[in-house]
Amino acid sequence: MFWEDIEPNITSRLKAAVEHAYDVFGKYRLDSIITHCDCPVCMNAETARELSKRPLEEISAGLLGEYTNSAHGYDRETVEPEFKHFLPRYFDLIAQCQIPSPLCIEICLARLREAQYRANWPAEEIAVVEEFFQAFVEACIGQTGLEKWPSGMRLAMDLGEVLVMISLAGGDLDAALDTFDKADDPAAALHMAAMRGDLSVKDGETFYFQEHLSNFPQAARTIGQFLVRDSVTERIGNAIDLIDNPDYDTILDTGLLLG
């Protein structure tokens, strides 16, 4: 997906989640040059100094992406407080659909998994992370713009990438899927139909096929089982009557066939 082409949907809930992250994690300040990998393909000393001294709200996605790219190793004494310092800016940029990674959105918060934040962080900080994830999922579901591909019209927003990001971060995938399930149709049904195009079956079991989930089979199964439920098929079928726009027909019809 081309995130640079997506117009952000900053809902009131998402805006509040980002602001709360700045408040809660604001106590983590840098007093020295950040810990970083300085190998030729990671971060040079000049970039490390710029990241360490630039005001948090002024750090661009490209600059923070250099930190993401240099995210090798983790410890609670030095790296963790540095990462927590940057975390609100990660959320802020992601909310704006500016991805702080030179590769993709799926891996940009993988350090949360290294931190095992749901087991080790204070309850207030865990709640901030989870609220951001749910608010961002909710906002992305509202993104139903289309883009033309050689195979026809597709949703510009790939919600699967967001769910994979949460999975790789060690976030509460069940809560994210619950947010998805409770979202209003026809928007939610459109995304469900679109995501069914990435379903696969192995050994009689349905899973969501995405390269970044190759080492996370449980997440792939969880998303896959979510998408093949009869209730999802019913919602997709009902959405056909809710949308008076033939450009969405192929997405919905294909979603029905793949259920």
Side-chain angles (χ1 to χ4, degrees), residues 123-233:
E124 183 182 32
E125 295 178 2
I126 297 170
V128 168
V129 176
E130 294 304 332
E131 173 58 16
F132 171 76
F133 284 152
Q134 309 323 316
F136 188 54
V137 167
E138 185 177 85
C140 289
I141 292 169
Q143 301 268 34
T144 58
L146 294 166
E147 61 183 6
K148 188 172 180 59
W149 283 61
S151 58
M153 303 301 291
R154 294 175 55 176
L155 292 181
M157 167 61 70
D158 184 350
L159 190 66
E161 292 187 8
V162 178
L163 295 174
V164 173
M165 176 190 72
I166 294 171
S167 299
L168 268 59
D172 190 341
L173 178 59
D174 289 334
L177 291 174
D178 186 58
T179 296
F180 193 1
D181 212 24
K182 291 177 178 176
D184 292 335
D185 290 331
L190 274 169
H191 285 285
M192 292 170 180
M195 287 184 64
R196 278 185 165 186
D198 291 314
L199 292 178
S200 186
V201 177
K202 183 178 181 180
D203 298 329
E205 195 169 31
T206 302
F207 63 95
Y208 184 69
F209 181 79
Q210 217 263 15
E211 60 177 331
H212 293 288
L213 289 181
S214 59
N215 292 323
F216 301 92
Q218 183 55 54
R221 282 192 293 268
T222 297
I223 297 172
Q225 292 301 311
F226 172 88
L227 291 170
V228 295
R229 295 172 301 152
D230 290 342
S231 60
V232 171
T233 300

Side-chain angles (χ1 to χ4, degrees), residues 76-95:
R76 305 210 180 278
E77 294 73 27
T78 304
V79 175
E80 183 162 283
E82 293 174 351
F83 176 58
K84 287 183 176 183
H85 166 77
F86 290 119
L87 194 55
R89 188 57 177 161
Y90 271 101
F91 292 166
D92 196 353
L93 289 166
I94 291 169

